[in-house]
Amino acid sequence: MRTSRLLFLALIVAGGCFAFSQPNDAVMQEALKPTTPIQENLRVLTDEIGGRVPGTPAMEKAEQWAIAAFKQAGADSVHTEEFTIPQSWAEGDTQVNVVAPVEFRVRAVSIAWIASLPPTTSRVVDVGMGSAAEFAKAGDITGAIVLVHSKTLATWDDLFEEYFRAPDIIERSMKGKALLIAFTSSRDYDILYRHINTMNGKMDVIPQVLLAREDAMRIARLIAHGEKVQMSVSLPNVVGPTITTHNVIAEIKGSDLAGQVVIFGAHLDSWNLGTGALDNGCNAATVIDTVRAIKAAGVRPRRSMRFILYSGEEQGMLGSLAYVRAHRKELDNITAVYVLDAGDGAFTGFSTQGRKDIDAALAPLLQPFTAWKATEITNDAALGTDNYDFMIEGVPTILPNQETANYLINYHATSDTFDKVNLAQLKKNEAISAELMVELANMPQRLGPRLTRAQIEATFPETHLDDAMKGFRIWDQWVNGSRGRTQ
Ligand SMILES: [Zn+2]
């Protein structure tokens, strides 16, 4: 420890350019120390504050937690930036019961941003996976509860398939004048999770619930055997007026390139069936501890560093959207945006989000991670976390590629709690992230240019980002210029 710190100081004395090309052992060692505040910070956030939906007292407590923890970590400055979400939403005491031909309680939760539905009883119609053909085969669904099957979640592709299938099912159910959509949980063993099918903070258009897989399959078997299943549903959800929430931002000032900025972000908000540990408390705590590691190692970066804990990610990446809108004039000077939002799985490398042009500049920065096999570069692009609005403004963004570990089964679920987090792996991920941030801040050249709208669109044939925008029903925002770079 001591040796590496002295070595680092010697490199600084010898000249900043060496600090760029050599791994910054001191920062990585700080992150990996056996006793650091990350564990206690994460415990408080998850166990003592819990799930953090914007507009709730828990989210306000989480913002205060973040401000205090950033200050404790030694940030040069900490502040918050406010934005609004059109509605607040909270689940009431959801009740779902099969009342005929047998009676049993169905374990269920409301889909998020769904209006309240007074107690209602109706027939259940099985629409299979919800394809157009299956809806047609089901016949008249007027006033009915449509039961939608699901595959068991095993891969990231399965998760995106689940998201992308929902809008068509909603449209078909609306067209058929169904009462309610009952989706089947994609997880076994009674795991329930919070799903949202609207990406703009506004209320969804038709009542929807998620049923425990075991109960949904029992209902499907009854229907398949010719029974006329009747189900009662009560969704006393609480919908409130426009809410104010905050991104929390810490800074480490740069030196000779202080006018340029590198950003490290993760969302602080979470759903509240569990306590938002893997998604995304562990990474919020990592962002904060990265500030501590960099300051404790005595590093003064060349470019300025911003550490942003976003709110409103789960309602459609609304915090990062608000940030990009508020900082549009600065975007030319934001040279890299790095985001964590996939739990604590080991890093296998990094995705440039469609930016092949930055591969050559990025590759040497990853050399310190060779022993951890985290150097592979991919050019795929994701839609689903807080790099999105920077990416479609042409700013270079980087996400780690991670092993799924136990992320997917616990995703947005009752089971996403502190005990699921692998703290040893989390510290390795922090060490890599902190080192990468220092290198991005200190590299002699920019990682890459800001792309024009035409250059951004030129990445779509390979990334299929346009298909993802269509899948999430936000393609029109890109087309009409209300979201993303316009020229
Ligand atoms: Zn997340």
Side-chain angles (χ1 to χ4, degrees):
M1 195 78 63
R2 192 177 176 85
T3 312
S4 59
R5 182 149 190 166
L6 286 173
L7 175 65
F8 171 71
L9 289 172
L11 288 167
I12 288 286
V13 171
C17 58
F18 289 105
F20 154 65
S21 58
Q22 297 291 327
N24 194 325
D25 284 344
V27 168
M28 296 182 78
Q29 299 287 354
E30 276 294 340
L32 292 167
K33 275 183 177 173
T35 308
T36 70
I38 192 169
Q39 179 168 345
E40 177 64 3
N41 276 341
L42 180 59
R43 186 196 67 77
V44 171
L45 179 67
T46 53
D47 285 350
E48 296 190 10
I49 297 174
R52 308 169 288 284
V53 179
T56 64
M59 186 64 206
E60 287 171 21
K61 275 188 205 161
E63 290 170 10
Q64 294 306 315
W65 167 92
I67 293 165
F70 270 136
K71 286 182 179 167
Q72 186 70 34
D76 294 340
S77 66
V78 184
H79 71 280
T80 62
E81 295 184 15
E82 178 182 300
F83 66 98
T84 59
I85 296 178
Q87 277 101 12
S88 71
W89 181 86
E91 183 175 28
D93 182 17
T94 297
Q95 297 283 340
V96 180
N97 292 281
V98 167
V99 295
V102 288
E103 292 184 10
F104 61 94
R105 170 92 188 259
V106 179
R107 288 152 292 192
V109 291
S110 176
I111 300 291
W113 261 253
I114 295 292
S116 66
L117 178 73
T120 314
T121 300
S122 187
R123 66 197 167 103
V124 184
V125 177
D126 189 328
V127 295
M129 296 295 283
S131 69
E134 286 166 307
F135 264 89
K137 194 174 159 209
D140 181 19
I141 57 168
T142 308
I145 295 166
V146 294
L147 176 68
V148 181
H149 294 230
S150 70
K151 288 200 303 184
T152 307
L153 178 69
T155 66
W156 281 102
D157 283 348
D158 293 341
L159 181 63
F160 278 96
E161 190 270 344
E162 189 176 349
Y163 275 117
F164 291 161
R165 202 155 49 92
D168 286 335
I169 292 168
I170 291 168
E171 280 174 16
R172 287 167 194 144
S173 302
M174 291 286 291
K175 203 171 155 204
K177 299 188 170 56
L179 169 74
L180 171 135
I181 305 168
F183 290 101
T184 301
S185 169
S186 62
R187 330 283 166 83
D188 285 320
Y189 308 116
D190 208 16
I191 292 177
L192 293 170
Y193 52 91
R194 186 73 76 210
H195 206 96
I196 189 165
N197 290 322
T198 172
M199 292 286 282
N200 53 16
K202 294 181 185 157
M203 298 302 294
D204 212 332
V205 291
I206 183 170
Q208 299 159 53
V209 290
L210 181 86
L211 308 186
R213 187 169 190 83
E214 289 75 12
D215 292 331
M217 291 172 76
R218 181 178 175 189
I219 295 165
R221 286 191 298 271
L222 288 169
I223 295 170
H225 280 78
E227 302 285 359
K228 301 220 176 310
V229 175
Q230 293 276 322
M231 197 154 77
S232 71
V233 179
S234 173
L235 297 178
N237 292 334
V238 181
V239 180
T242 299
I243 50 168
T244 298
T245 186
H246 302 85
N247 296 323
V248 182
I249 298 148
E251 293 188 304
I252 297 178
K253 288 192 187 69
S255 54
D256 60 315
L257 297 175
Q260 295 178 22
V261 178
V262 293
I263 293 178
F264 182 13
H267 68 86
L268 177 60
D269 67 296
S270 76
W271 292 118
N272 60 355
L273 291 171
T275 60
L278 291 171
D279 188 10
N280 194 27
C282 68
N283 289 315
T286 295
V287 170
I288 291 168
D289 207 62
T290 296
V291 174
R292 183 198 62 76
I294 290 170
K295 293 302 272 190
V299 172
R300 176 90 191 273
R302 297 186 66 197
R303 294 182 179 81
S304 297
M305 293 175 153
R306 277 184 207 155
F307 301 84
I308 308 181
L309 298 183
Y310 299 103
S311 180
E313 194 274 347
E314 299 292 4
Q315 291 75 45
M317 306 164 290
L318 303 179
S320 43
L321 170 62
Y323 188 87
V324 164
R325 284 186 173 154
H327 293 262
R328 193 159 261 143
K329 285 189 183 142
E330 271 187 293
L331 294 178
D332 285 339
N333 292 322
I334 296 175
T335 63
V337 170
Y338 176 61
V339 175
L340 294 185
D341 188 15
D344 64 2
F347 291 5
T348 59
F350 295 85
S351 163
T352 65
Q353 304 292 298
R355 295 291 301 266
K356 274 187 179 164
D357 64 297
I358 66 173
D359 285 8
L362 181 61
L365 310 189
L366 308 183
Q367 288 315 301
F369 318 136
T370 305
W372 282 336
K373 298 186 171 57
T375 57
E376 185 194 22
I377 296 175
T378 63
N379 302 117
D380 51 303
L383 197 177
T385 191
D386 292 306
N387 75 306
Y388 173 71
D389 282 281
F390 293 97
M391 172 171 59
I392 64 171
E393 285 284 351
V395 175
T397 73
I398 303 167
L399 265 61
N401 290 318
Q402 293 177 251
E403 291 177 359
T404 49
N406 60 356
Y407 185 74
L408 289 173
I409 191 163
N410 298 304
Y411 175 79
H412 292 184
T414 42
S415 54
D416 184 7
T417 46
F418 179 80
D419 45 287
K420 302 302 187 303
V421 178
N422 177 342
L423 284 154
Q425 185 61 52
L426 192 67
K427 287 184 182 184
K428 286 185 188 173
N429 296 354
E430 181 195 329
I432 292 173
S433 299
E435 169 69 15
L436 180 59
M437 283 300 293
V438 170
E439 291 183 330
L440 289 167
N442 287 349
M443 64 194 299
Q445 309 294 331
R446 282 166 171 254
L447 183 62
R450 185 176 172 204
L451 299 185
T452 64
R453 183 177 175 93
Q455 289 171 322
I456 297 162
E457 281 187 331
T459 68
F460 292 172
E462 286 195 37
T463 62
H464 302 290
L465 188 65
D466 49 345
D467 292 335
M469 291 176 180
K470 288 168 192 166
F472 278 120
R473 296 297 198 267
I474 54 177
W475 173 244
D476 61 321
Q477 298 175 340
W478 171 257
V479 172
N480 67 27
S482 60
R483 199 166 182 174
R485 192 160 196 184
T486 52
Q487 55 197 354

